[in-house]
Amino acid sequence: MIQQTRPWVFIFINQAGLLKLSEIIDIEFQLYKDSQSDPAAIRRRDRNIGQEYRGQEKARVSIFLYWLNKVKNKNSYPGSYISYALTFLRYVLFFLFLISGATTCAAVLAYDGTSPVNIVNFLAVFAGLQVLLYFLFFINILPAGFRKKIPLIGDFYRFTGFIFKFVLEKAGTGLYKNRTESIRQLSSILYRARSRHTIYQKMERWTIFSLTQLGGFAFSLGALASCAYLITFSDLAFAWNTTLDISPEFFHRIIKSFSLPWAAFFKDMVPTLDLVEATRYFRLNGDYAGTGSSALTAGGWWPFLICTLITYSLIPRFIFMCISRIMLLHMHKKSIYLSSEFDSLHRRLTSPLFTTRSENNTGEENMHEHALISMPGEKSLCENSAHLIMWGEMDLSEPELTSIIESALNINITDIHFAGMLDNTRDENTLKGFEENSDDEPVMLLAESWEAPGRAVEHFLKRLRSVINKDRKIIIALISLDPENEVISPSKADWQNWQDLTLKLNDPFMSIEPVTGKE
């Protein structure tokens, strides 16, 4: 049962439909630990947890959180530490940019009683520069296909992406060749990090965007506070000057264009032509051009400056900060459906244990029916389907294997294809069939677990990925039989060999499923 001390947490999360960053990290960490463990023990553990769960089996967030609460040791998981570090970074960025905005505004509005403050510099920093940064923000949120076609910016993204992949690949390959167990584990972590980057790159981007927009908002807030303080508690004199032959009328039209966002609501905060004419300043003469200039006239620009800060800096930054946060939450909501390993975890938690011995199978299915509640109007898991590719020669017949897979994994087999056995023509025909078939159903490769995954199966999986969608799920189903042709769990050594293969392939949409049998 779900712990009674926190039922509202699961109810709220279930309705929100998203996982926190710390929870995603902890789930990924546990899945990595499970990939290094005995598949039979993991299956029994997860199935027992699934039987204890009293909720909707389709509510992935709720059942994943329940599973995580059952399996994790809170003192040894990295999610909370990374979350605390990110929260600390947000506070550091906020106060750092708050101070930076205040000092920048104070520097722009610096006035020692001699030369007045040039409002052109103020507009350049708090309007022009901000608009340029907004433009770069919009370029960065474009889809990668469009973004990489933009001159200079696209080259930058391609270069950084190449460096990132090159470093991780070389580090992972080099460490993997080292026979020390701890070094090989480190290499597998690097492989996994590279694979997970493919899944979570949008979440990573929006995390960075949310941080940068928070910093931008804090910068604008600090600038506004500094500007209001200096205007209120010091006597500033403003002016505009330029070497160009610009008339006051033309400059007034420019200022009116800047004032359009608030002109309809606050007409008094739009500088008049008289103010523009009176505050033109010539440094050669050290005096204003207007004959009626005074201290009060020179300070008449302050409403325009305040509105400029709010309109071009503070409000857009707040909007972009909210958009970044909303998109980040949206990425969190999608995260539970991106990884093939999440699908495998859900199957382990919700599918009944399978055994080729019918007297054990029945009791297990009945327990499953009482443990889980299906959501109204949704298909059950047994109605999921996949295309099956049989790799090599099998000891059991096709109908027997199909029945075993459907019972063990709750996945209906749509059709059967064949590959392996050093028959390149058969492999090519199978690949051609998938290239012509554009559906999104998962592709399942059935292989005997004891057969070490050599270059042939690695090459076939790479070719298979190249002819289907890059995010289409590939399930490697491992089957093992005892001398009596009873289905048994793969050995830990065989399981690890196939895990190493998927790590090297760097395919986050590929998972390994043991076709489990008797205990």
Side-chain angles (χ1 to χ4, degrees), residues 20-30 68 72-87:
K20 294 185 292 186
L21 177 62
S22 60
E23 293 162 346
I24 294 174
I25 294 172
D26 286 345
I27 290 175
E28 288 285 1
F29 181 75
Q30 183 61 45
L68 184 63
K72 80 172 187 176
N73 179 354
K74 296 182 180 179
N75 296 323
S76 60
Y77 278 64
S80 59
Y81 300 108
I82 296 177
S83 181
Y84 292 148
L86 192 58
T87 301

Side-chain angles (χ1 to χ4, degrees), residues 199-486:
I199 297 177
Y200 296 117
Q201 57 182 338
K202 290 184 178 180
M203 186 183 297
E204 294 168 2
R205 285 177 59 208
W206 284 107
T207 299
I208 295 173
F209 290 156
S210 66
L211 291 172
T212 56
Q213 297 311 311
L214 174 65
F217 175 74
F219 180 90
S220 303
L221 194 63
L224 180 62
S226 178
C227 182
Y229 175 83
L230 291 173
I231 288 172
T232 304
F233 298 103
S234 63
D235 55 335
L236 298 179
F238 302 102
W240 64 279
N241 48 27
T242 177
T243 308
L244 303 177
D245 186 16
I246 295 178
S247 65
E249 291 78 11
F250 181 77
F251 189 74
H252 182 245
R253 288 196 293 270
I254 295 176
I255 294 301
K256 286 182 67 177
S257 299
F258 271 95
S259 306
L260 284 177
W262 68 84
F265 307 99
F266 307 102
K267 295 181 179 180
D268 294 340
M269 295 187 177
V270 180
T272 62
L273 179 59
D274 293 338
L275 178 63
V276 173
E277 290 176 341
T279 53
R280 183 168 188 174
Y281 189 81
F282 294 96
R283 290 191 297 174
L284 182 63
N285 300 327
D287 199 3
Y288 287 98
T291 56
S293 298
S294 64
L296 290 177
T297 303
W301 283 92
W302 73 264
F304 172 77
L305 301 184
I306 292 291
C307 288
T308 298
L309 261 176
I310 295 175
T311 304
Y312 289 96
S313 190
L314 188 66
I315 293 178
R317 287 296 182 185
F318 179 77
I319 293 173
F320 292 151
M321 183 177 65
C322 293
I323 291 174
S324 299
R325 184 61 181 171
I326 292 171
M327 289 302 299
L328 181 59
L329 293 177
H330 178 63
M331 293 298 109
H332 279 234
K333 189 172 183 178
K334 291 176 61 178
S335 64
I336 58 174
Y337 300 102
L338 296 178
S339 171
S340 289
E341 289 193 45
F342 279 21
D343 293 341
S344 299
L345 172 61
H346 191 248
R347 276 193 288 270
R348 292 199 301 271
L349 290 169
T350 57
S351 300
L353 285 176
F354 168 73
T355 174
T356 53
R357 305 188 190 281
S358 59
E359 62 270 16
N360 296 332
N361 188 32
T362 304
E364 205 58 66
E365 289 177 352
N366 290 337
M367 249 191 301
H368 173 70
E369 291 175 1
H370 289 290
L372 297 171
I373 305 171
S374 297
M375 293 183 69
E378 294 198 18
K379 294 182 179 181
S380 63
L381 285 176
C382 62
E383 294 184 359
N384 291 340
S385 58
H387 302 280
L388 178 64
I389 301 175
M390 290 190 181
W391 181 262
E393 185 178 2
M394 300 287 173
D395 293 334
L396 297 179
S397 65
E398 294 174 21
E400 288 177 311
L401 288 171
T402 301
S403 176
I404 290 172
I405 293 172
E406 291 182 340
S407 299
L409 301 181
N410 269 14
I411 296 179
N412 288 336
I413 302 303
T414 303
D415 49 22
I416 301 177
H417 306 267
F418 300 92
M421 293 295 294
L422 302 179
D423 189 344
N424 293 331
T425 302
R426 184 169 64 172
D427 292 358
E428 292 299 324
N429 290 336
T430 297
L431 292 170
K432 184 178 180 180
F434 281 102
E435 186 175 12
E436 296 173 351
N437 183 5
S438 59
D439 65 48
D440 293 326
E441 284 188 358
V443 180
M444 180 181 294
L445 179 75
L446 179 65
E448 293 180 304
S449 63
W450 57 267
E451 182 181 357
R455 293 185 179 273
V457 67
E458 181 179 349
H459 176 72
F460 180 82
L461 288 171
K462 289 180 179 178
R463 290 286 312 280
L464 178 62
R465 174 56 71 196
S466 68
V467 300
I468 63 176
N469 294 335
K470 64 179 182 179
D471 56 351
R472 188 172 175 181
K473 303 295 176 63
I474 297 178
I475 304 171
I476 301 177
L478 298 182
I479 189 169
S480 183
L481 303 176
D482 65 5
E484 300 176 359
N485 276 349
E486 294 282 357

Side-chain angles (χ1 to χ4, degrees), residues 43 353-356 408 480 486-490 514-519:
R43 176 178 64 94
L353 285 176
F354 168 73
T355 174
T356 53
S480 183
E486 294 282 357
V487 179
I488 59 176
S489 298
V515 182
T516 51
K518 67 182 181 181
E519 302 298 333

Side-chain angles (χ1 to χ4, degrees), residues 121-133:
N121 295 336
F122 188 93
L123 291 176
V125 173
F126 295 106
L129 181 60
Q130 298 300 317
V131 171
L132 176 62
L133 293 175

